[in-house]
Amino acid sequence: MIKTVKKAISNIVLLVLYRALRVLSQHDSRVRNEFEALPEGFTVALRINPSEGEIRMAKVNGRLKRIGKRDDYDVLITFKGIDAAFKVLTGQMGVARAYAEHRFTLKGDIGVTMGLVRMIDIAEAYLFPRIMTKRILRSVPYKEKSTLTIYRKVFIGV
Amino acid sequence: MSMYIPSYFEFVNSAKLLAGDYALENITEEMSLLGSSRPFLLSDKGLEKVGSVKTLLDIFSKSGLKVSGVFTDIPLDSSILKVNEIASLYRKANADGIIALGGGSVIDTAKGLRMLISQGGKDILKYAGAEVLPRGMNVPFTVIPTTSGTGSEATGVAVIKDEEKEVKLEFISSYLLPDVAVLDTRMLESMPPRITAITGLDALTHAIEAYSSMQRNPVSQAYAIAAMRLIIEYLPIAIKEPHNKKARLAMANAAYIAGASFSNSMVGIVHAIGHSVGAVSGVPHGEAMSILLVPSMKYNVNEAREEYSDILLYIAGDVYASTPNENRAEKAIEVLSAFVDQIRTMAPVRKTLSEAGVKKEDFQKIANRAINDGALIVNPRAADRDDVLRILSEAF
Ligand SMILES: [Fe+2]
């Protein structure tokens, strides 16, 4: 696949992932618990090097919001390149495998990041078909809400 | 048993190893080649008391090495305040390199000091995480371990406490590896049997978890195999005969090799829970490993079946040959369980979490910590709070 296509898709998925996390941090009890454990003002960015894409978010007034560029984030996950990022973002590679393969660097508290990874795992269970998540996650989290409900909220917003 | 080839892996073990007779005498030459003639020595009060610091300084002066300063007031947990304090002494002494003599606490503190000096004294907390620390300036760094367990002399990992935020931050970077690791039995003989036992079982746990982790690769597995073989053969001897140089050196080698292995393929759930049991209930690290190893392996057995079967071959070749393939993983756990029991008959190592002082009412706290431990990320089987609680109950 050509790089520009990978880049375009990866950026769409980054956005979808953010929206899924925002929805799930209200509608899925496990994601909500993880989210509530984060301090107010907590910032996290997912970046794809070299400048292939980035999504930045923060906990603002108890809700997940997108934020503008900052000098520093509490947690910054940077994929070293678009190819592995694309695999992770399209459900072909789990976060644990990506970590094992050194596909990204992580700046910040590793303990806090473990909670973020659990949130992303749950989001993937909703976003990707089980046939894919079964392959990339060591155990697939169950879905508290129907996929359709979550899809509707993520993509349509109601 | 076919060997596992990951689709991609990395491996780094850049520390030069000096292991065996007159290793300490060769430090002068190594530091000089690295550009250090005025190294700063870090150690701890205990080692000062038993005379290890003096022995080392005597060897240094005979081999023409002058240290520019000695610091031994090292806390159990290395912290950013302590690192800053030592850094100002380091600068005042006009030092040009670091030598660490000690166990995990001294080595972690030395890694923090090296990080700070090599980054020009800037805030090092921003390098917390994985693979974000740049190399920085050359600060020659030699580590002499005084226990045979943590393997910290061969790992690119350091844990440093941030007092302000009251968190322990983990740093993972190949630039945390020392330039030289020195294994010399003269610095190891003072270890009492209990410390020999629990640090040795820590090293064994490193080898087993590294061999079976999601991040395993042919190089890290080769290291893990060597470590397991050495430990199974020599740990009982090192406990029984504290002055047996061959056994002491074998265990020092094993701890180093296991350290290099897990630095490249990580540890797993034994460590995730063990760190938490240590932090919440104060169980010494190696003892926590010895208690949690078997219940954790039982938890992992289906996901790590092939790796555990291999392990049986390396720790008990005759048993491997006489055990049908489908039973080998369970048999490996049995053999390891018997080995840990054997060690317990030779040195005071507690058998259960309750004996080690863990309280049932702390289980939730321990489990909440364990699931946030980075060691869990590449454990062969995923684990949530309830899984950790079940393992804790079994080990209680
Ligand atoms: Fe350990």
Side-chain angles (χ1 to χ4, degrees):
Chain A
M1 196 181 293
I2 53 168
K3 227 183 105 192
T4 47
V5 178
K6 281 189 179 175
K7 180 175 173 173
I9 294 175
S10 296
N11 275 281
I12 293 167
V13 180
L14 279 178
L15 194 62
V16 170
L17 186 63
Y18 152 72
R19 293 181 77 150
L21 289 173
R22 192 184 57 182
V23 168
L24 293 169
S25 64
Q26 292 173 56
H27 296 281
D28 182 288
S29 69
R30 297 155 301 172
V31 178
R32 190 170 57 230
N33 286 339
E34 300 286 359
F35 186 66
E36 277 169 2
L38 298 172
E40 175 65 23
F42 185 86
T43 56
V44 54
L46 281 170
R47 180 179 292 167
I48 306 169
N49 265 351
S51 356
E52 302 283 358
E54 176 165 310
I55 190 123
R56 301 170 294 269
M57 41 200 148
K59 183 174 176 177
V60 183
N61 299 325
R63 299 282 285 271
L64 191 65
K65 294 254 161 68
R66 285 184 76 182
I67 54 169
K69 233 180 175 43
R70 309 226 172 153
D71 291 338
D72 204 9
Y73 306 90
D74 290 308
V75 169
L76 170 63
I77 292 169
T78 307
F79 283 97
K80 294 176 182 174
I82 185 72
D83 299 298
F86 178 78
K87 277 198 153 184
V88 171
L89 292 169
T90 53
Q92 301 175 67
M93 185 192 277
V95 177
R97 167 60 39 205
Y99 179 81
E101 294 189 3
H102 301 264
R103 298 302 186 181
F104 59 85
T105 64
L106 162 65
K107 187 203 145 300
D109 188 332
I110 292 175
V112 175
T113 309
M114 292 297 286
L116 295 174
V117 170
R118 286 192 294 273
M119 290 165 72
I120 292 172
D121 282 355
I122 294 170
E124 290 192 327
Y126 282 103
L127 292 175
F128 300 125
R130 197 181 150 80
I131 189 156
M132 289 172 93
T133 46
K134 240 176 73 181
R135 210 155 36 94
I136 61 162
L137 300 178
R138 287 167 298 172
S139 79
V140 182
Y142 64 93
K143 299 178 199 170
E144 283 184 357
K145 297 275 156 57
S146 82
T147 302
L148 216 60
T149 310
I150 298 301
Y151 261 65
R152 202 186 64 226
K153 288 182 189 300
V154 168
F155 292 105
I156 307 170
V158 287
Chain B
M1 47 181 306
S2 89
M3 222 159 158
Y4 170 72
I5 305 285
S7 51
Y8 178 85
F9 76 94
E10 297 182 1
F11 187 94
V12 57
N13 177 31
S14 55
K16 179 170 182 176
L17 177 63
L18 315 181
D21 292 344
Y22 310 116
L24 295 170
E25 279 79 355
N26 286 339
I27 292 173
T28 308
E29 196 63 32
E30 292 299 332
M31 285 303 266
S32 149
L33 289 172
L34 288 163
S36 171
S37 56
R38 304 174 42 77
F40 196 83
L41 178 66
L42 294 192
S43 190
D44 65 31
K45 295 276 182 225
L47 290 161
E48 202 164 35
K49 218 189 256 165
V50 298
S52 296
V53 174
K54 190 184 176 299
T55 307
L56 183 66
L57 288 173
D58 288 347
I59 291 167
F60 281 170
S61 75
K62 268 186 224 145
S63 61
L65 184 68
K66 256 198 151 130
V67 299
S68 55
V70 181
F71 187 89
T72 57
D73 188 19
I74 305 260
L76 212 56
D77 290 329
S78 65
S79 75
I80 189 68
L81 281 181
K82 189 53 87 173
V83 169
N84 284 333
E85 178 191 337
I86 305 170
S88 77
L89 295 171
Y90 177 99
R91 292 198 192 92
K92 231 177 263 163
N94 196 23
D96 61 4
I98 301 165
I99 297 175
L101 171 74
S105 305
V106 172
I107 300 174
D108 260 16
T109 304
K111 284 177 176 174
L113 175 66
R114 207 277 199 103
M115 209 181 341
L116 184 72
I117 303 291
S118 66
Q119 300 305 325
K122 281 180 286 185
D123 173 28
I124 54 168
L125 294 176
K126 69 174 180 203
Y127 298 119
E131 298 181 53
V132 287
L133 174 74
R135 178 191 280 266
M137 279 180 287
N138 175 36
V139 178
F141 179 28
T142 289
V143 171
I144 311 159
T146 54
T147 60
S148 300
T150 67
S152 191
E153 68 279 9
T155 71
V157 184
V159 177
I160 295 168
K161 197 161 80 187
D162 175 3
E163 281 101 338
E164 223 172 276
K165 290 188 179 160
E166 285 179 35
V167 286
K168 278 187 173 184
L169 289 171
E170 198 172 351
F171 297 76
I172 300 176
S173 163
S174 46
Y175 302 122
L176 286 167
L177 281 160
D179 299 301
V180 183
V182 182
L183 310 178
D184 192 308
T185 53
R186 286 169 288 178
M187 294 293 124
L188 299 161
E189 280 171 2
S190 67
M191 246 190 294
R194 176 176 146 83
I195 301 299
T196 304
I198 63 176
T199 53
L201 293 172
D202 182 26
L204 179 62
T205 308
H206 294 157
I208 290 166
E209 294 212 279
Y211 190 86
S212 48
S213 102
M214 266 179 77
Q215 206 175 27
R216 67 195 184 283
N217 61 66
V219 192
S220 72
Q221 287 192 315
Y223 276 62
I225 293 166
M228 283 183 237
R229 294 186 55 180
L230 286 167
I231 296 164
I232 293 291
E233 182 172 354
Y234 287 102
L235 179 56
I237 304 172
I239 297 170
K240 224 182 316 171
E241 307 164 26
H243 297 288
N244 184 319
K245 278 174 79 168
K246 190 176 172 194
R248 285 291 195 195
L249 187 60
M251 281 308 298
N253 278 309
Y256 169 90
I257 299 167
S261 181
F262 89 80
S263 186
N264 288 282
S265 40
M266 296 264 294
V267 278
I269 195 166
V270 189
H271 274 79
I273 304 178
H275 291 149
S276 309
V277 159
V280 174
S281 313
V283 182
H285 180 69
E287 191 158 46
M289 297 298 102
S290 71
I291 296 168
L292 293 162
L293 179 64
V294 167
S296 300
M297 287 183 78
K298 286 184 186 162
Y299 176 78
N300 282 337
V301 69
N302 283 319
E303 283 71 14
R305 182 159 294 282
E306 253 184 73
E307 289 69 39
Y308 288 180
S309 303
D310 294 352
I311 286 173
L312 182 63
L313 174 64
Y314 307 123
I315 60 174
D318 47 339
V319 183
Y320 179 90
S322 62
T323 306
N325 190 33
E326 64 272 22
N327 299 339
R328 281 174 180 156
E330 280 80 6
K331 197 76 189 173
I333 300 175
E334 253 174 63
V335 170
L336 283 164
S337 179
F339 181 74
V340 177
D341 282 339
Q342 180 202 346
I343 299 299
R344 286 195 188 104
T345 65
M346 307 174 69
V349 180
R350 291 168 290 191
K351 196 179 166 69
T352 62
L353 291 177
S354 53
E355 280 175 36
V358 177
K359 302 214 163 41
K360 235 189 176 129
E361 51 266 35
D362 287 334
F363 274 17
Q364 286 291 343
K365 219 166 151 187
I366 294 168
N368 285 339
R369 268 188 102 100
I371 58 164
N372 285 327
D373 193 295
L376 217 46
I377 196 159
V378 291
N379 188 65
R381 180 176 174 191
D384 60 20
R385 216 172 261 117
D386 292 336
D387 299 321
V388 173
L389 288 172
R390 270 192 293 276
I391 293 172
L392 286 171
S393 295
E394 194 182 336
F396 192 68

